[in-house]
DNA sequence: CGGCAATTTGACTATCCTCAACAGGGGTGG
DNA sequence: CCACCCCTGTTGAGGATAGTCAAATTGCCG
């Protein structure tokens, strides 16, 4: 049952703080789980009952207003940590965007384990501080950027994040990058605080201006990365 | 020099994790500093050179676009922690809104000290997780709420946060609360992702509808708290 | 090939922003 | 002590951006 031995995020996730023996103990309280696209792992407003590491796939963190408007407040990738340790109510739901594999722990078990392993907590703290930085930078986009700046920023961010995952650099076109988005148009709108129609219009504008190509609904080829960065503001 | 003995946030800040002796060691590497309103402690984009605890006053965390638009991404109160431990570049500036007292550490000193005191790191982790939750909830406001919902949410949040600080409950009017805002109109706009004019118009609307009174620029009396909560969406 | 959902496009509207003028009030200096 | 000034905030008019509603189109899947 020593999943961790073959875990692809072994050295990038917070588990990297643990030696082989400690890892075995952690392994004993965790279990792997596969999620289908659209499947939720945690629901908004429930007591925090579990935490997890992402092994594979992309998931969204989202909150909703009572009348159904949604805002995606975070996107997590392999090696990222999910959930709210040390009590409290989770104020975001967690839902798989692609097929995903996660390593799940009951929150109580994880809390106790973490209390005995300061190195693990340190890793988690660093990760949380980084996530807070990233989240605050995103607030500038939500509060102060125009629709065109938002969409350009989104594409730049995706190009960075997906590097090495779904990104191929095309020979002879160093700026050119192809990526497969893990988001529907609606989900992009929910990330950017826009409507689906506005996102769609911005995409076609970028296509008409020759900055991107849109071979299919989920695929984007970036033809002029620098122009996108400039437009991101 | 044992400032900590008389420190008003001794039991609420992350220092609460330390015993008397440890506190002495921490005290030795920190120093108190007073900030005037508008004075900055940390500038956006600089290397992280110091961290601090807030003892007294209110400070803002803010980021700016190149062309000068500002977004306030966090507001910190007494006992809150400021700065970016464990390296990296701080992506937010920190500026006092009111006169403020802070307990400052060089980042390197603090990092080393924290490494030897897991209890302190644990407190800091809890605080950071809480701040991340709060920040993500604010993203829903920035991305999905209307101007009237934003302003109402802001007043509700301020009423909660300032309780016990600048807040008096008026006998016979349990819903009624008076508070002195630490923000100018422009700063409120920068918190909410609005313009100063829109904020001003929302305030006068709330006044005309009898939900609040505005005795002076910085003072607000909430006459109908429940209505504000309802309008916050 | 047909059906369905996602996306795009179009027309129109509302909200919020911009620009501009005005008002208030707190502090300073005469 | 009062008048003035400057800064902050308010109010108004007009316009632009993004939202809403509706219809057309695409492409995916059986």
């Amino acid at each position: 049952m020593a999943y961790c031995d073959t875990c692809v995020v072994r050295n990038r996730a917070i588990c990297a703080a643990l030696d082989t023996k400690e890892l075995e103990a952690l392994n004993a309280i965790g279990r792997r789980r596969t999620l289908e696209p659209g499947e939720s792992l945690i629901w908004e407003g429930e007591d925090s009952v579990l935490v997890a590491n992402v092994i594979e796939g992309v998931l969204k963190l989202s909150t909703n207003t009572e009348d159904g408007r949604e805002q995606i407040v975070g996107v997590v990738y392999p090696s990222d940590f999910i959930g709210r340790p040390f009590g409290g109510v989770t104020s975001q739901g967690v839902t798989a965007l692609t097929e995903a594999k996660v390593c799940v722990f009951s929150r109580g078990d994880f809390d106790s384990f973490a209390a005995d392993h300061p190195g693990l907590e340190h890793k988690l703290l660093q990760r949380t501080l980084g996530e807070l930085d990233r989240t605050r930078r995103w607030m500038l986009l939500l509060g102060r950027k125009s629709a065109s700046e938002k969409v350009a920023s989104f594409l730049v961010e995706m190009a960075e994040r997906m590097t090495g995952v779904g990104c191929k650099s095309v020979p002879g076109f160093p700026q050119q990058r192809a990526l497969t988005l893990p988001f529907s148009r609606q989900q992009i709108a929910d990330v950017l605080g826009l409507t689906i129609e506005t996102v769609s219009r911005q995409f076609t504008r970028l296509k008409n201006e020759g900055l991107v190509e849109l071979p299919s609904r989920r695929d984007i080829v970036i033809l002029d990365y620098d122009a996108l960065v400039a437009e991101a503001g």
Side-chain angles (χ1 to χ4, degrees), chain A:
Chain A
M1 283 307 184
Y3 285 124
C4 303
D5 294 344
T6 58
C7 182
V8 291
V9 298
R10 165 75 177 89
N11 294 309
R12 289 185 293 143
I14 56 173
C15 321
L18 304 174
D19 63 31
T20 310
K21 192 171 175 194
E22 294 170 318
L23 205 59
E24 228 166 79
L26 183 64
N27 199 40
I29 62 171
R31 64 192 167 82
R32 287 213 177 177
R33 184 165 162 199
T34 302
L35 297 166
E36 295 304 311
E39 195 176 350
S40 289
L41 181 66
I42 296 173
W43 285 263
E44 182 181 350
E46 77 179 0
D47 288 339
S48 173
V49 291
L50 52 84
V51 299
N53 273 311
V54 181
I55 298 167
E56 199 182 301
V58 183
L59 300 91
K60 67 170 183 177
L61 315 184
S62 58
T63 53
N64 293 82
T65 56
E66 291 161 17
D67 60 339
R69 287 169 284 177
E70 174 162 333
Q71 177 67 47
I72 294 179
V73 296
V75 182
V76 290
Y77 297 87
S79 85
D80 284 342
F81 183 83
I82 294 175
R84 181 63 164 92
F86 316 125
V89 173
T90 46
S91 58
Q92 301 95 38
V94 179
T95 306
L97 294 175
T98 64
E99 187 170 294
K101 284 189 175 49
V102 293
C103 183
V104 184
F105 307 90
S106 102
R107 185 184 62 75
D109 291 349
F110 181 85
D111 285 0
S112 317
F113 186 88
D116 295 336
H117 297 83
L120 186 74
E121 283 210 344
H122 182 77
K123 278 272 179 196
L124 184 56
L125 176 56
Q126 282 198 307
R127 198 167 271 278
T128 307
L129 287 166
E131 191 59 33
L132 185 56
D133 271 356
R134 182 193 301 281
T135 303
R136 284 176 168 158
R137 258 180 276 124
W138 208 248
M139 293 177 83
L140 178 64
L141 175 142
L142 288 176
R144 289 300 184 201
K145 289 193 179 177
S146 68
S148 62
E149 291 173 323
K150 283 180 175 181
V151 171
S153 302
F154 171 80
L155 291 177
V156 170
E157 166 101 0
M158 288 314 294
E160 298 304 322
R161 282 278 205 140
M162 303 293 281
T163 298
V165 178
C167 172
K168 309 161 281 224
S169 93
V170 178
F173 298 88
Q175 284 197 343
Q176 193 161 334
R177 309 188 190 193
L179 47 148
T180 299
L181 300 176
F183 300 100
S184 69
R185 290 287 186 275
Q186 180 61 60
Q187 285 160 350
I188 296 172
D190 291 337
V191 169
L192 298 176
L194 296 170
T195 59
I196 183 173
E197 293 95 330
T198 299
V199 172
S200 180
R201 277 186 255 267
Q202 291 298 326
F203 270 64
T204 53
R205 183 183 58 76
L206 289 173
K207 186 183 66 181
N208 293 337
E209 292 177 356
L211 302 207
V212 303
E213 263 173 33
L214 306 170
S216 82
R217 290 178 170 182
R218 294 285 185 132
D219 289 313
I220 291 227
V221 180
I222 295 175
L223 299 176
D224 192 342
Y225 185 78
D226 293 344
L228 274 184
V229 171
E231 187 170 318

